[in-house]
Amino acid sequence: MKFLKIAISAVAIAGFATTASAQDTGAYINAGVDAFEFDAYTLSGKLGYKFTKYFGVEGQAGFGIIDDDDTIQGIDTSVGVDSTFSGFGIARIPTGSGLNLFIRGGYHFTQLSASAGDFDVDVDVDGFALGIGSEYSWDGKNGIRLEYTYLDAGSDDDFDIDGGSNVYSLSYVRNF
C-alpha cells in the first residue's frame, strides 16, 4: 500500500512539473533547511506550480544532514531523519509588496533511524501534513520562505508511535 501511495505521489509531482515547464509560468523551486523539533535537520527542496495567484501544488523532498546525538547513562544515542517525501495542495493570500501568506495540506512519507550502543532501528512513518508560513519575493523571481509544518506520525503497532513532529523551515525561492 505504501508503494502505491509513493508511486501516485511521484506521478502527480512529475505531471505538475511537466505542465509547469511546458507553460513556463507559475513554476517555482525552493532549497532550504528543515528543523525537526530543532533536534534533527534535513536539506530540502520543493518543486511547485501556481495554478492561480491563490492556489497551487508542491512536492517536497528532504534528506538528513544532522542527527540528534546524546549520551544517556553512558550510552551514545543518535536519532535522525534519513529522508522525507511529501505532496501538498497550497492556498496563498497575497498581501502586496511581494509578501504572501499561505497554508498547505498534504501527505508525507518519512524514514527515521535511531541507534543506542549496538542497537539500530529504522522506522517508516507516513501521515497527513499541515503547514502555514510566509513568503517574500524582493524582485518577483527571487525570495525567501519561512514556514511551520506539522507531520502526523499516524500510529505504528511495532514501535508505539503516536502524535507527530513539528518542522520549521527556511528556504530560498526561485519563481519561473
Side-chain angles (χ1 to χ4, degrees):
M1 185 66 170
K2 285 185 182 181
F3 176 78
L4 179 61
K5 290 178 186 176
I6 292 170
I8 290 170
S9 297
V11 169
I13 291 168
F16 294 132
T18 303
T19 302
S21 64
Q23 296 176 358
D24 200 30
T25 59
Y28 62 92
I29 59 172
N30 292 18
V33 176
D34 299 337
F36 286 71
E37 306 283 343
F38 292 108
D39 292 326
Y41 296 83
T42 63
L43 282 179
S44 70
K46 297 178 186 78
L47 174 63
Y49 185 75
K50 299 173 189 172
F51 295 111
T52 70
K53 67 180 182 178
Y54 301 108
F55 298 105
V57 294
E58 62 186 27
Q60 179 174 345
F63 300 95
I65 55 170
I66 298 175
D67 292 345
D68 182 21
D69 298 324
D70 203 358
T71 301
I72 301 172
Q73 296 183 356
I75 298 173
D76 292 333
T77 64
S78 179
V79 178
V81 177
D82 292 336
S83 62
T84 183
F85 300 93
S86 311
F88 293 94
I90 187 166
R92 289 181 174 77
I93 303 169
T95 62
S97 301
L99 181 65
N100 290 316
L101 303 177
F102 64 85
I103 185 167
R104 66 186 196 147
Y107 205 82
H108 78 97
F109 306 95
T110 302
Q111 183 177 40
L112 308 169
S113 62
S115 65
D118 293 333
F119 179 74
D120 294 319
V121 64
D122 291 325
V123 179
D124 294 329
V125 295
D126 63 296
F128 292 100
L130 184 63
I132 60 171
S134 64
E135 183 176 88
Y136 176 73
S137 176
W138 53 83
D139 64 3
K141 293 282 186 188
N142 300 290
I144 192 164
R145 178 169 161 164
L146 180 63
E147 66 190 276
Y148 162 80
T149 304
Y150 175 78
L151 302 178
D152 179 46
S155 63
D156 187 310
D157 295 333
D158 296 331
F159 293 101
D160 190 29
I161 296 174
D162 287 318
S165 184
N166 298 303
V167 182
Y168 305 90
S169 304
L170 178 64
S171 58
Y172 164 76
V173 180
R174 175 67 181 177
N175 294 293
F176 296 100

